[in-house]
Amino acid sequence: MNNAYAEEAKMMLSSKGYKLTRPRLVILDYMAGVSGHPSIQEIYEGILINYSGIGIATVYRTIDLLVEIGYLRALVLLNNQLRYELNLPDDHHHHLICKACGVIREFNSCNFNSISEEIEDTTCFKIEEHNLEAYGYCSDCLSKKAGYSTENM
Amino acid sequence: MNNAYAEEAKMMLSSKGYKLTRPRLVILDYMAGVSGHPSIQEIYEGILINYSGIGIATVYRTIDLLVEIGYLRALVLLNNQLRYELNLPDDHHHHLICKACGVIREFNSCNFNSISEEIEDTTCFKIEEHNLEAYGYCSDCLSKKAGYSTENM
DNA sequence: GTCGGTGCAAATCGTTTGCAGAGCC
DNA sequence: GGCTCTGCAAACGATTTGCACCGAC
């Protein structure tokens, strides 16, 4: 639960002139406490449990706002589905996605910096960010795979 | 123009029992000759010019088929739009996308292999593929940016 | 009290599907 | 000639928008 980070975001919203309404506070807190990388639908359903009045349009609008102020970060996976996670400062990581069950794990190793200058030189681009996703099979699915053996996963 | 690669794909389709119909041949050839990384809409519009009868549903169905047989590869960018490129053998590359004009450049440097084993060890995943995208500004947009200076791009 | 934010429902967009006719093998 | 493939139009699902009311400041 990233309370301090959530409080910071509330102050940020407020200082930018955005009102601290109930739906905004609920979504913000929900994201501070959630584990995993929920989609809009999952966020909506997760919040409905404790706050039955919320509308999905508000979830879309609020998540966009939270991405805009830098509180959240959007993740685009190969199946073309958007998912969201906290955009904590100094938390540079990437994602490893299981092609069988879809589970997402994070990893921190990243040696992109060692090649980024070379790429800038050869392409004349100024690079600001990068995304790295690896796809494969998690240990659970690997053992199932070994079990059924002939399955083509 | 990758004629040989296109011919190979035609034989592959045929050998798998798929009929070589006019729309399939046209789309296949279009992709062999196109530069850049077109979206479905762009492929559809590009083909309409010379073949006004084609329907967009056919473009969707055919592109899916061509991805399935490995002739094409799908690209998911941060704006959540699918784009397609030839999946040439031994052509491992990644993409560099300009955040201002959207132009996509390819680069070949990639040192992922040097960390992939370590990631496999720490996560117990078996990694099969990876995607790397870098975002920044191309030289054209950089010089425009310098010109207007105060623009926040 | 004001004005931005919300929930609802309708609109919209990209994509998929059902189907009758067309055309490849 | 048979059966797959196509184009059309309708269906679908995710997202966005218009609007009247609500509530934070």
Side-chain angles (χ1 to χ4, degrees):
Chain A
M1 192 57 168
N2 294 275
N3 285 318
Y5 187 55
E7 293 311 315
E8 220 178 281
K10 289 173 195 171
M11 284 166 54
M12 160 82 98
L13 280 176
S14 178
S15 75
K16 291 202 174 195
Y18 294 108
K19 291 181 181 170
L20 297 181
T21 62
R22 175 152 182 229
R24 281 179 182 161
L25 295 174
V26 171
I27 293 173
L28 225 149
D29 286 333
Y30 178 82
M31 289 304 294
V34 81
S35 69
H37 306 78
S39 62
I40 292 282
Q41 195 60 37
E42 285 165 1
I43 297 166
Y44 174 60
E45 285 166 12
I47 287 172
L48 264 188
I49 296 168
N50 297 312
Y51 177 17
S52 62
I54 201 166
I56 196 158
T58 303
V59 178
Y60 276 104
R61 285 184 282 226
T62 305
I63 294 292
D64 281 354
L65 176 62
L66 296 179
V67 169
E68 213 176 287
I69 66 162
Y71 179 66
L72 300 179
R73 187 190 303 150
L75 238 65
V76 195
L77 306 185
L78 253 194
N79 53 7
N80 210 17
Q81 208 189 20
L82 282 173
R83 301 189 152 266
Y84 298 88
E85 65 179 0
L86 287 185
N87 185 27
L88 291 162
D90 303 318
D91 176 28
H92 184 72
H93 67 263
H94 297 294
H95 299 97
L96 185 46
I97 299 116
C98 176
K99 296 201 279 183
C101 69
V103 70
I104 304 173
R105 267 205 67 159
E106 303 183 351
F107 62 88
N108 298 299
S109 346
C110 171
N111 52 9
F112 181 75
N113 287 341
S114 64
I115 55 169
S116 97
E117 232 176 85
E118 180 203 328
I119 297 169
E120 288 188 329
D121 288 348
T122 56
T123 60
C124 296
F125 264 64
K126 177 88 196 70
I127 296 176
E128 298 203 335
E129 298 134 50
H130 67 276
N131 265 342
L132 171 61
E133 280 135 40
Y135 292 86
Y137 296 103
C138 69
S139 53
D140 282 2
C141 290
L142 277 175
S143 44
K144 277 182 212 149
K145 200 175 168 182
Y148 299 116
S149 89
T150 47
E151 213 74 24
N152 77 319
M153 306 197 340
Chain B
M1 190 60 167
N2 293 276
N3 286 317
Y5 187 56
E7 291 313 313
E8 221 178 278
K10 290 173 194 171
M11 283 165 55
M12 160 81 97
L13 280 177
S14 177
S15 75
K16 291 202 171 191
Y18 294 109
K19 292 184 182 168
L20 297 181
T21 61
R22 174 148 184 234
R24 281 178 182 163
L25 296 174
V26 170
I27 293 173
L28 225 150
D29 286 333
Y30 178 83
M31 289 305 293
V34 81
S35 68
H37 307 77
S39 63
I40 293 281
Q41 195 60 36
E42 286 165 359
I43 297 167
Y44 174 60
E45 285 167 12
I47 287 172
L48 263 189
I49 297 169
N50 298 311
Y51 178 16
S52 63
I54 201 165
I56 197 159
T58 304
V59 178
Y60 275 103
R61 283 185 283 228
T62 305
I63 293 293
D64 280 353
L65 176 63
L66 296 179
V67 169
E68 212 176 287
I69 66 161
Y71 179 66
L72 300 179
R73 188 190 304 152
L75 236 64
V76 196
L77 306 185
L78 254 193
N79 53 7
N80 207 18
Q81 207 188 22
L82 282 172
R83 300 188 154 267
Y84 298 89
E85 64 180 2
L86 288 185
N87 186 27
L88 292 162
D90 304 317
D91 176 27
H92 184 72
H93 67 262
H94 296 295
H95 299 98
L96 185 47
I97 298 115
C98 177
K99 295 201 277 183
C101 68
V103 69
I104 304 173
R105 267 203 68 159
E106 303 182 351
F107 61 88
N108 298 300
S109 347
C110 170
N111 51 8
F112 182 76
N113 287 341
S114 64
I115 57 169
S116 95
E117 232 176 85
E118 180 203 327
I119 299 170
E120 288 189 330
D121 287 348
T122 56
T123 60
C124 296
F125 263 64
K126 177 90 195 71
I127 297 176
E128 297 202 336
E129 297 134 51
H130 67 276
N131 268 341
L132 171 60
E133 281 134 40
Y135 292 85
Y137 295 104
C138 70
S139 51
D140 282 4
C141 291
L142 277 176
S143 43
K144 276 182 213 150
K145 200 175 169 183
Y148 300 115
S149 88
T150 48
E151 214 71 28
N152 78 318
M153 305 194 345

